[in-house]
Amino acid sequence: VINQLSKEFRNLGGLTSDELMYIKEDLIIPNDLTFYDLIATKARGKSGPLFHFDVHDDVRVGPVDVRVEKEESHPGKVVERKWYERHKHIFPASRWEVYDP
C-alpha cells in the first residue's frame, strides 16, 4: 500500500509500516491488528463500532457527544509516528488513546 500511495504522497516514499500509525475514532490501532481482525470481532470505539459499512453521510460536521452510542463512522487517519510524538500534547493527537480490545 505504501508503494501505491507514495506516488501521490511523496513523503511516504521512504517510510516503513512501523513508522506509520492508523487512527480510527480517536484510537491508535496497533500495527499487529489487521482490518479483518477488527471487522470480524466487531471492534468498538469510544462511542460505538469502529467500522459500520452502511454509513453514507459525512459525519465529521457538528458537535460530538461520546457518551451517546452512534452507528456513524468517521474516516481513519494515517500519520507518521514521529509526527505523533512531536504533537501528542496538541489537539487532536492529545485525544488519541491506544486501542485495547
Side-chain angles (χ1 to χ4, degrees), residues 24-25 49-53 55 57-59 71-75:
K24 180 74 171 154
E25 303 290 336
L50 284 178
F51 298 97
H52 187 70
F53 294 103
V55 175
D57 296 330
D58 188 349
V59 296
E71 291 188 6
E72 302 165 338
S73 183
H74 297 272

Side-chain angles (χ1 to χ4, degrees), residues 3 23 37 59 86 90:
N3 292 333
I23 315 300
D37 294 333
V59 296
R86 285 192 318 260
I90 303 170

Side-chain angles (χ1 to χ4, degrees), residues 1 13 27 35 39 58 60 66 75 83 101:
V1 173
L27 294 172
F35 287 112
I39 294 166
D58 188 349
R60 293 175 288 178
V66 296
W83 178 92

Side-chain angles (χ1 to χ4, degrees), residues 16-65:
T16 65
S17 61
D18 289 333
E19 297 172 283
L20 297 173
M21 298 172 65
Y22 180 66
I23 315 300
K24 180 74 171 154
E25 303 290 336
D26 289 337
L27 294 172
I28 300 169
I29 307 299
N31 286 358
D32 61 335
L33 289 176
T34 66
F35 287 112
Y36 176 80
D37 294 333
L38 295 169
I39 294 166
T41 60
K42 298 183 181 190
R44 300 185 62 77
K46 296 178 181 179
S47 62
L50 284 178
F51 298 97
H52 187 70
F53 294 103
D54 295 334
V55 175
H56 301 290
D57 296 330
D58 188 349
V59 296
R60 293 175 288 178
V61 295
V64 177
D65 185 354

